Amino acid sequence: MMDESERAVQAAIDGEMELLDPDVRASPARVLELLDPEFTEIGASGRRWDVESILTVTSGGSVAPESSVKVSEMSGNVLAPGIVHLTYFADNQGRRAWRSSLWRLTASGWRMYFHQATLTG
C-alpha cells in the first residue's frame, strides 16, 4: 500500500507522462486539465512559455505521433503538502535534456505549475 507521499508523487508522474504523450498534447482540453492556470516553463531553448503559448503550439498540429519522448531516471519528492517536484532525463529523437517540474494539488486535481528543461550532450 502506498502512503500519501507516494500517491502524490505517483499522481505527478502520471500527469507528467500524459503531457509527454503526443495524443494528449494534441488535445487542448486535456492539456488544460493538466496545466495549472499559472503555469510557466523555461524551455531547453531558453524560451519562456505559459499556458496560452503551449496551447498555440500543441493545438497547431505540430506534435507528430511518432515524436514520443523516451524517459529515464524519473524521481519525485514531496516538497510540502500538495507540492511535488519531479526530475528526469528525456530523449526526444536525439534531443536530450534533464527536466524538472513542479506539480501542485488544486481543487481539480494535480496540475503542472512549473517546468524547466536543460539540454545535455
Side-chain angles (χ1 to χ4, degrees):
M1 253 176 104
M2 287 198 278
D3 69 13
E4 187 176 333
S5 290
E6 291 169 322
R7 282 192 300 275
V9 169
Q10 190 58 56
I13 289 171
D14 292 346
E16 189 85 35
M17 296 307 292
E18 270 196 81
L19 281 170
L20 292 170
D21 182 321
D23 291 333
V24 171
R25 291 181 67 82
S27 169
R30 185 62 184 137
V31 171
L32 276 174
E33 291 172 356
L34 291 166
L35 295 181
D36 192 275
E38 297 175 6
F39 168 81
T40 58
E41 174 178 336
I42 300 170
S45 66
R47 181 177 173 182
R48 187 176 167 100
W49 300 83
D50 59 16
V51 173
E52 186 177 313
S53 58
I54 291 288
L55 286 176
T56 298
V57 170
T58 59
S59 63
S62 65
V63 180
E66 63 275 1
S67 67
S68 79
V69 177
K70 291 181 176 72
V71 173
S72 60
E73 301 183 50
M74 176 81 74
S75 66
N77 293 296
V78 174
L79 299 180
I83 304 290
V84 171
H85 178 229
L86 297 180
T87 58
Y88 61 98
F89 187 77
D91 186 332
N92 188 358
Q93 299 179 332
R95 189 168 193 232
R96 300 160 40 102
W98 283 105
R99 296 186 181 201
S100 175
S101 60
L102 291 174
W103 286 78
R104 70 178 175 182
L105 184 58
T106 68
S108 59
W110 286 94
R111 299 175 98 174
M112 183 186 282
Y113 176 75
F114 177 79
H115 183 79
Q116 182 165 0
T118 304
L119 291 177
T120 185

